Amino acid sequence: MDRTASTTWEPPLPSTRPRSRERTLGGYAARRFFKNRLAVLGLVVVLFFLFLAVFAPLIAPYPYDRADFSKVLLFPFEDPAHPLGTDEVGRDFLSRLIYGARISMTVGLSVEAIALLVGIPLGGIAGYWGGKPDYVISRLIEVMTAFPGLLFAIFLMTLWGNGLLKVILVLGLTSWIVVARLLRGQLYALREKEYIEAARCLGVPRRRILARHLLPNALTPLLVAISFGIPAAIFGEAGLSFLGLGVNDPLPSWGKMVGISMAYVRVYWYLGLFPTVLIALSMLGFSFVGDGLRDALDPRLIE
């Protein structure tokens, strides 16, 4: 009995079942973030202020330091050339508000960059190595926490003088504490996990474990802390500038504009109202984004 075996290979027919889209933690987080209306609103506000900061020279109708003494303290819409009026020396108020966004965004982002550069190494050493480094860094954090942040910044600015760079450095010296404390606590919880023990048993160097396994898993709370730290830095700069310890003239700052308006606010109400509203909007925008990130990156909410 002959048996004929077919040697011809036929490719399998393509499946008609729809392929399920690969879902990752980032995809879930993005989906939850954009479902949060307040978070999306905050993101729009933040992007708007960043747009103003980057393109201020193109958007502002006048240079921020151009004064016209023949048009001092004009009310909004009193002169079509100055829709939001002028300040006490005849500078266009709209232009100074737009350039003020550049100062606020620069301070907020730069301060958080310093906080990360200082807080991540200190928090990483304290949380992973432990021992004497942890004891020294923890005591340093406790000492810095004992000083009220704004009062400490006022003291340093009084010693060093005014200036944008000095404001950034002073606020950065008081902002790294949150990052270091948060990262230290995260690493304390993560360093005893099974996959970390397995990496140690395989002889993986400590630096590689810290950089490749621990820091990426501690990134989520750091992102949330950054989103809340930026408005805190903006408010700190506004407070220093309000007290006359912030940026120097003729640079515009929303806080300094509010401080100057105190001498005119009973009549020229707009001098204090407009920058105050912008400070509040910027802080609300970053706060909404921070709340949205915190909810979106919470692994307990994964569907």
Side-chain angles (χ1 to χ4, degrees):
M1 179 177 176
D2 291 336
R3 293 184 178 179
T4 58
S6 176
T7 58
T8 304
W9 176 82
E10 295 182 359
L13 294 175
S15 175
T16 58
R17 297 176 59 186
R19 294 183 179 180
S20 60
R21 183 178 298 176
E22 182 181 358
R23 295 181 178 179
T24 61
L25 178 60
Y28 280 114
R31 187 158 55 91
R32 288 197 301 271
F33 180 85
F34 286 104
K35 281 185 176 180
N36 189 332
R37 295 182 179 180
L38 285 180
V40 174
L41 176 61
L43 182 61
V44 171
V45 172
V46 169
L47 292 178
F48 173 72
F49 283 124
L50 288 175
F51 177 79
L52 290 182
V54 174
F55 298 102
L58 302 177
I59 300 173
Y62 300 96
Y64 64 84
D65 56 350
R66 178 179 174 181
D68 186 353
F69 294 102
S70 64
K71 297 182 178 181
V72 174
L73 293 174
L74 294 178
F75 280 94
F77 308 109
E78 183 178 349
D79 186 346
H82 304 282
L84 293 186
T86 59
D87 64 2
E88 70 280 359
V89 293
R91 295 173 296 197
D92 183 66
F93 208 61
L94 175 61
S95 300
R96 291 185 63 79
L97 289 174
I98 293 173
Y99 276 96
R102 169 173 287 189
I103 299 298
S104 296
M105 295 300 109
T106 300
V107 170
L109 296 176
S110 301
V111 167
E112 283 307 299
I114 295 175
L116 292 176
L117 290 175
V118 177
I120 288 180
L122 293 179
I125 293 173
Y128 185 63
W129 270 269
K132 291 184 178 179
D134 180 29
Y135 178 81
V136 173
I137 294 173
S138 298
R139 300 294 81 75
L140 177 61
I141 292 175
E142 290 174 359
V143 171
M144 293 296 297
T145 307
F147 292 97
L150 185 58
L151 292 181
F152 186 61
I154 292 173
F155 172 73
L156 292 180
M157 291 300 297
T158 304
L159 292 179
W160 295 350
N162 298 4
L164 178 60
L165 181 59
K166 295 177 181 177
V167 169
I168 293 173
L169 291 176
V170 166
L171 294 178
L173 288 176
T174 59
S175 299
W176 63 269
I177 304 171
V178 176
V179 176
R181 185 193 295 118
L182 180 61
L183 183 60
R184 174 181 175 272
Q186 288 292 314
L187 295 185
Y188 255 106
L190 292 173
R191 68 180 185 179
E192 304 300 330
K193 298 293 184 180
E194 290 79 2
Y195 64 92
I196 301 299
E197 292 293 338
R200 291 198 194 102
C201 294
L202 292 174
V204 179
R206 284 187 171 185
R207 293 180 181 177
R208 186 177 179 86
I209 293 176
L210 182 62
R212 297 292 299 273
H213 300 288
L214 290 176
L215 287 180
N217 286 286
L219 185 62
T220 296
L222 286 181
L223 289 175
V224 178
I226 291 171
S227 63
F228 285 110
I230 292 175
I234 293 175
F235 185 76
E237 181 274 328
L240 291 175
S241 297
F242 177 84
L243 298 174
L245 299 173
V247 299
N248 291 320
D249 284 327
L251 284 177
S253 166
W254 292 338
K256 185 171 67 175
M257 295 165 76
V258 174
I260 294 175
S261 72
M262 292 297 101
Y264 311 92
V265 71
R266 293 192 176 185
V267 177
Y268 303 99
W269 49 268
Y270 64 94
L271 293 178
L273 177 63
F274 292 154
T276 301
V277 170
L278 291 180
I279 293 173
L281 287 177
S282 64
M283 296 189 67
L284 280 177
F286 280 106
S287 298
F288 288 159
V289 170
D291 288 335
L293 286 175
R294 182 182 58 196
D295 296 338
L297 296 174
D298 190 347
R300 295 171 296 180
L301 299 179
I302 294 180
E303 299 174 358

